[in-house]
Amino acid sequence: MGLRHIVAGVVMALGVAVVPANAQGLVPAAPPVAPVPPERPACREVADLPFLTIDPDSAARLGAIGLSRAAIFAQMHETSIPETMGCWAMPVGNFDSQLVSVGMSQWNFGTGSLQPLLKAWKKARRGRFGRERRALMPAYGKTIFSRDCLAVPVKDKCREKILAAHGADGKLNPVIRGEFNALFESDAMLQVQLDTYLVLLEAVRQDLLRVFPEGPITLRKVRWAVDTKVQQGGFPLDEDLARLRRKLAAMSEGERWERLGAIFAWYGALSRSIDQDGVQRDWAWNMDRWRCLLDTRRIDPEQYEMLHLTFLRSRTAIGNSGRWQALTFERRAKIILGVGSVSGKTDGECLR
């Protein structure tokens, strides 16, 4: 009830300006300055490289929804920003209960998304596998490519060995972190990551036709769908989409901005709560700019519907008991509005 009371008060501020937003403690008195992103360590950055190949048939299908080769790599880089700060590797440990996450899309052992990449790399190396594994991962390669670690879910023996490779600070020790970097920045693994991402993009193409059956499929929708697929694996069910659209169609014009304000208020209140991570440097800047867009009515019908669809899916983000719900909404709202901050990286602006 406490959260609903907070949201209700903020909605009034956003919708009819009965209570100043500052009185609700939602937005600082002065417009917040743009957050400073953390310094990125030296890494191999996600980008198009001449040796990376895309199957011509796949390229043709993706081209039909506006994804040229350049657009594919631009989308990969965009996906990697909140995941790895734009790097091909950047392994992290068990902070989110996924054991190890690595790669431009942060594939991990916990969800079983990492094992297929390891198997694909092993298969691609054929007779060179043993030699290259020892060269790239001399200390931990035998463990990482063991049957216990390639199983889904990983076996207890694998879990114990990887957890033992974490330091007292809960992070991967420098040796295993360096070896994962070496593997995931290798040319062959870059191709595996690209191939895996292309499969995701092909699936997104089918999802878009279901979620937006009346079209058109804009680049904004493609970017939104990719982020949804990467972070949550799928989209709302048809019955949920139909229910939401019935409610949107029945809504009076006078309700439109108050309803959207309520969603922004949910994000703002959630960001300030005790168990939300990944949004601390961003939420105040986002709330200030998104309020500006709302107050000046600079949100078009496509953006309006997509924000409601994002709310529908974000509130079902259950990882770590909902720890990432605000971040989930933040990532997609930035894509939809073209204005926002994620992981300290700001784009766009709203001038009053």
Side-chain angles (χ1 to χ4, degrees):
M1 288 299 292
L3 181 57
R4 285 199 292 270
H5 285 309
I6 293 172
V7 172
V10 176
V11 169
M12 292 178 64
L14 289 171
V16 295
V18 173
V19 182
N22 297 335
Q24 299 295 331
L26 184 60
V27 182
V33 298
V36 178
E39 184 177 353
R40 188 185 70 185
C43 72
R44 194 171 191 180
E45 187 173 356
V46 175
D48 191 358
L49 295 165
F51 64 84
L52 293 173
T53 61
I54 298 176
D55 176 76
D57 290 339
S58 178
R61 288 189 294 269
L62 293 174
I65 59 170
L67 287 174
S68 63
R69 181 182 176 98
I72 288 169
F73 281 97
Q75 184 60 55
M76 290 180 73
H77 187 264
E78 180 175 303
T79 296
S80 71
I81 291 297
E83 301 288 351
T84 64
M85 300 171 67
C87 299
W88 279 108
M90 193 172 281
V92 295
N94 197 44
F95 78 98
D96 57 356
S97 305
Q98 303 304 325
L99 199 57
V100 170
S101 301
V102 62
M104 52 77 52
S105 196
Q106 287 291 272
W107 293 284
N108 58 78
F109 280 122
T111 63
S113 58
L114 175 56
Q115 292 91 321
L117 275 81
L118 297 174
K119 291 177 181 178
W121 183 83
K122 179 179 179 180
K123 182 178 180 180
R125 304 329 292 151
R126 298 181 180 175
R128 295 167 289 179
F129 165 68
R131 182 174 66 255
E132 293 189 16
R133 185 204 69 192
R134 288 189 293 272
L136 295 169
M137 305 188 84
Y140 288 96
K142 190 173 182 180
T143 293
I144 297 305
F145 286 94
S146 67
R147 289 184 179 180
D148 289 338
C149 285
L150 294 180
V152 180
V154 298
K155 304 296 184 182
D156 289 342
K157 189 175 181 180
C158 169
R159 178 174 294 276
E160 291 167 4
K161 288 183 178 180
I162 293 179
L163 289 177
H166 286 66
D169 58 0
K171 299 178 181 179
L172 294 172
N173 71 44
V175 176
I176 191 171
R177 186 169 65 249
E179 292 189 1
F180 267 119
N181 271 320
L183 176 63
F184 273 77
E185 290 185 345
S186 67
D187 288 356
M189 186 56 92
L190 263 59
Q191 183 67 56
V192 170
Q193 292 191 65
L194 171 59
D195 291 342
T196 304
Y197 197 80
L198 289 171
V199 171
L200 179 142
L201 290 180
E202 292 261 25
V204 162
R205 175 177 169 272
Q206 295 299 319
D207 290 324
L208 282 167
L209 297 175
R210 177 180 71 84
V211 176
F212 301 104
E214 298 180 8
I217 304 302
T218 62
L219 184 57
R220 177 193 289 160
K221 288 176 179 175
V222 172
R223 294 171 60 209
W224 171 87
V226 169
D227 192 81
T228 304
K229 193 82 168 180
V230 167
Q231 198 175 33
Q232 288 190 269
F235 301 85
L237 299 174
D238 287 347
E239 61 186 271
D240 295 326
L241 293 170
R243 182 187 70 250
L244 177 65
R245 285 182 167 132
R246 283 196 303 270
K247 291 184 175 181
L248 290 176
M251 185 169 45
S252 68
E253 184 63 27
E255 290 180 276
R256 286 178 58 80
W257 303 108
E258 181 179 339
R259 295 291 192 182
L260 183 55
I263 292 177
F264 289 160
W266 168 83
Y267 161 78
L270 197 59
S271 297
R272 295 172 59 238
S273 65
I274 191 171
D275 194 40
Q276 291 294 302
D277 285 327
V279 296
Q280 284 72 23
R281 69 166 64 91
D282 306 294
W283 75 267
W285 193 91
N286 285 333
M287 283 300 300
D288 181 76
R289 271 56 178 190
W290 295 346
R291 272 182 50 86
C292 171
L293 293 174
L294 184 141
D295 291 344
T296 55
R297 305 297 191 255
R298 279 181 271 175
I299 297 173
D300 66 36
E302 179 179 279
Q303 291 172 316
Y304 189 89
E305 181 189 58
M306 291 177 70
L307 286 166
H308 281 79
L309 293 174
T310 298
F311 172 63
L312 194 67
R313 193 70 179 105
S314 298
R315 71 190 191 202
T316 64
I318 60 174
N320 290 156
S321 298
R323 178 183 175 190
W324 311 102
Q325 288 181 352
L327 178 60
T328 299
F329 181 82
E330 173 180 289
R331 285 170 56 150
R332 278 164 234 160
K334 177 181 176 179
I335 291 170
I336 294 165
L337 296 170
V339 175
S341 178
V342 176
S343 300
K345 184 180 184 302
T346 61
D347 286 299
E349 184 55 277
C350 180
L351 301 176
R352 290 177 173 83

